[in-house]
Amino acid sequence: MEAFIVSDANVSGVGNRPNTPRSRRTSLAVLSSGLLMTIIDGNIVTVAMPAIQSDLGFSAPGLAWVVNAYLIAFGGLLLLAGRLGDLIGRKRMFVSGLAVFNGASALCGVATDQGLLIAARAVQGVGGAMTSAVVLGMLVALFPEPREQAKAIAVFSAVGAAGGAIGTFLGGALTEALTWHWIFLINLPIGALALVAAVRVLANDRGTGLAGGADYPGAALITGALMLTVYTIVGSAGHETSVTLALAALSLALYAAFAVRQARTARPLVRLRVFRSRTLTGANAVQILMIAGMFGFQYIGALYFQRVLGYGELKTGFAFLPAPVIIGVLMLGLSARVIGRFGPYRSLLAGLVLITSGLALLGRLPADGSYAVDVFPSMVLLGAGFAAGMPALTGLAMSGAREEDAGLASGLFNTTQVVGGSLGLAVLTTLAAGRTEGLLADGGRSVAEATADGYRLAFWVATGIAATGFVLAATLLRPGRGAGAAGTPSLALTTAGQLRSGQP
């Protein structure tokens, strides 16, 4: 994402404002508000999907593009937006991203046809990439001291979980009380406040200037490769196998051309040495699998509540509340202590065990299921697993990079989140739909029974994906293997050791 050196004041985001505890806390609140808006938007959309489908006449594959359009733009532009943030200044990129996201939210809110909604969602993805690409770099620069940084990241993560809780509730409440259009319009007051606060509070940073050089051919190659990858994954359900394979081959060719370009150019967008780290590479691979399972749960879970159990939008929103509430409470109260006591490796493995168990329980959901008996226990396991696993995985991913590669490492981590979410959405929804259609064609099953059977298959596959993530984590991320790139002490190795020993 953003290749930066933390100690450089002109690039760090500290800039010309007093670097006091109060100013840092205020800046953290502003950065968190930007995250809150994007997280709320994502969860609101999930709950309102059936209402959008009914109102605008989306087919089942077409409905997924309300999510896919955002993911393609967001995932494809993260690295480029991060690099441009280095050049023009991260505050400028963050503020511009908020403005783009707000404008696109207004377009989504007034959309009356499928084309406009999908196009506006893609623009939202652009704005989301512009803000997300620079947030972590600004946060790390604001809190360079390990203990303060750990607390700031915990707050930042808890805000994300709170956004999930607020989003699921607001999505149901607004859709049921008003219309689905308001799930996007609610972003406008939040975004306006965040925009004004960002302009007034965040420190000005000059950036290195466009003359400093961006690898524009490399940026075009990696942006095209990432967008095509996400498109190939999320569009696989509507393509012939030969088309999917051809798109995948083209994606690989673009990645190869990008790698050759980065190896030869004087100012690469991505320093290829970071991939020598087993820890960094392994953590990103594990994240793809973990997010794939969790994202599938969120999307398919909403469909199960409404199409099988007959919940309305508001009740669906309430049904999802336990998981993000548990995540937020545990991240603020226990995650840092657990990681400090047992280390990030063991915490991650424990989290993956809980996530796998929660998804396995969902694999037995009946057509006449009870929320308290059949769903709530899984919510608890998934929430606790994510709270234990995600902060630990983030620390491990960052520990595999040198200090000067911290921005790049965070960019890769954000990008693999998008790839994991896209992969989970495409694979699990395709399998669920195929299973349901096959059972209905054979006859003998009601629509509710066939639909529930399709969702059970999807959750069992998600269980296998999460279990594979556990195996990868256990083998690739074992302490003492693949620390920093090229054997050099890495950015987070000292922090990880301090967390384990309880030192500041």
Side-chain angles (χ1 to χ4, degrees):
M1 195 193 315
E2 332 105 64
F4 70 98
I5 299 176
V6 174
S7 60
D8 185 347
N10 288 328
V11 181
S12 69
V14 176
N16 56 11
R17 290 184 180 274
N19 188 18
T20 64
R22 181 176 181 181
S23 68
R24 291 196 298 270
R25 288 194 298 269
T26 305
S27 296
L28 173 61
V30 173
L31 295 175
S32 296
S33 67
L35 172 70
L36 181 66
M37 183 175 64
T38 57
I39 295 295
I40 286 176
D41 182 79
N43 285 272
I44 278 180
V45 171
T46 299
V47 176
M49 293 287 270
I52 294 173
Q53 181 179 23
S54 176
D55 188 32
L56 298 185
F58 277 104
S59 64
L63 181 64
W65 283 98
V66 176
V67 175
N68 297 344
Y70 181 92
L71 291 177
I72 290 171
F74 183 86
L77 292 172
L78 275 169
L79 288 174
L80 178 58
R83 178 56 178 154
L84 290 176
D86 290 340
L87 299 178
I88 68 174
R90 293 192 181 90
K91 175 182 176 179
R92 185 178 298 176
M93 180 60 69
F94 182 79
V95 170
S96 299
L98 288 176
V100 171
F101 192 93
N102 250 25
S105 295
L107 289 176
C108 289
V110 300
T112 56
D113 61 79
Q114 298 179 12
L116 178 58
L117 178 59
I118 291 173
R121 286 286 288 162
V123 179
Q124 269 193 321
V126 175
M130 293 170 70
T131 55
S132 300
V134 295
V135 164
L136 188 54
M138 297 172 78
L139 187 66
V140 170
L142 281 167
F143 299 93
E145 194 274 323
R147 176 173 290 181
E148 284 191 345
Q149 188 178 111
K151 291 179 180 178
I153 290 176
V155 171
F156 195 69
S157 300
V159 167
I166 295 170
T168 53
F169 173 76
L170 281 180
L174 292 173
T175 303
E176 191 163 299
L178 300 170
T179 68
W180 63 263
H181 296 274
W182 285 92
I183 69 172
F184 298 108
L185 296 176
I186 194 66
N187 289 332
L188 300 183
I190 300 173
L193 289 173
L195 187 62
V196 171
V199 171
R200 294 175 60 88
V201 171
L202 295 181
N204 295 316
D205 57 314
R206 296 194 305 269
T208 58
L210 291 174
D215 178 21
Y216 295 111
L221 286 170
I222 192 59
T223 300
L226 288 169
M227 283 188 168
L228 188 57
T229 297
V230 178
Y231 173 78
T232 301
I233 294 172
V234 300
S236 58
H239 295 151
E240 297 290 338
T241 302
S242 59
V243 174
T244 299
L245 291 176
L247 291 174
L250 180 56
S251 298
L252 291 175
L254 289 174
Y255 283 121
F258 174 74
V260 171
R261 170 73 186 179
Q262 299 311 287
R264 295 181 177 179
T265 187
R267 296 181 178 181
L269 184 69
V270 174
R271 298 180 180 94
L272 297 181
R273 67 168 181 260
V274 299
F275 295 106
R276 300 174 191 169
S277 167
R278 181 192 297 268
T279 303
L280 183 145
T281 304
N284 279 277
V286 169
Q287 180 178 229
I288 289 175
L289 299 173
M290 185 171 79
I291 295 298
M294 292 293 292
F295 199 86
F297 150 72
Q298 185 178 22
Y299 185 85
I300 293 177
L303 296 178
Y304 174 79
F305 289 142
Q306 297 185 47
R307 293 180 177 176
V308 177
L309 299 185
Y311 286 10
E313 289 86 357
L314 180 59
K315 193 172 182 180
T316 298
F318 275 116
F320 269 113
L321 278 178
V325 168
I326 289 170
I327 292 171
V329 170
L330 292 182
M331 278 187 172
L332 280 177
L334 290 176
S335 291
R337 295 180 184 177
V338 170
I339 294 173
R341 174 67 177 85
F342 298 103
Y345 174 72
R346 292 180 180 177
S347 300
L348 172 60
L349 293 185
L352 287 169
V353 167
L354 292 172
I355 289 172
T356 303
S357 301
L359 292 171
L361 283 180
L362 292 172
R364 50 174 292 279
L365 286 177
D368 57 349
S370 162
Y371 178 82
V373 174
D374 299 306
V375 180
F376 183 75
S378 295
M379 290 274 188
V380 174
L381 291 172
L382 291 170
F386 194 80
M390 195 61 188
L393 187 60
T394 303
L396 286 167
M398 295 301 292
S399 76
R402 296 175 177 178
E403 181 173 328
E404 64 267 28
D405 293 326
L408 173 59
S410 67
L412 291 173
F413 199 66
N414 279 332
T415 301
T416 55
Q417 282 185 359
V418 177
V419 172
S422 303
L423 183 65
L425 180 66
V427 172
L428 300 180
T429 55
T430 299
L431 290 172
R435 176 69 170 170
T436 298
E437 291 171 4
L439 291 173
L440 291 175
D442 292 341
R445 297 282 189 97
S446 68
V447 174
E449 290 173 338
T451 302
D453 200 288
Y455 295 156
R456 285 196 294 271
L457 174 62
F459 283 127
W460 277 118
V461 173
T463 301
I465 292 173
T468 303
F470 174 86
V471 173
L472 281 182
T475 54
L476 296 179
L477 301 179
R478 189 178 307 157
R481 303 183 66 179
T488 302
S490 61
L491 172 67
L493 287 179
T494 303
T495 303
Q498 289 168 334
L499 283 172
R500 286 193 290 270
S501 64
Q503 298 174 4

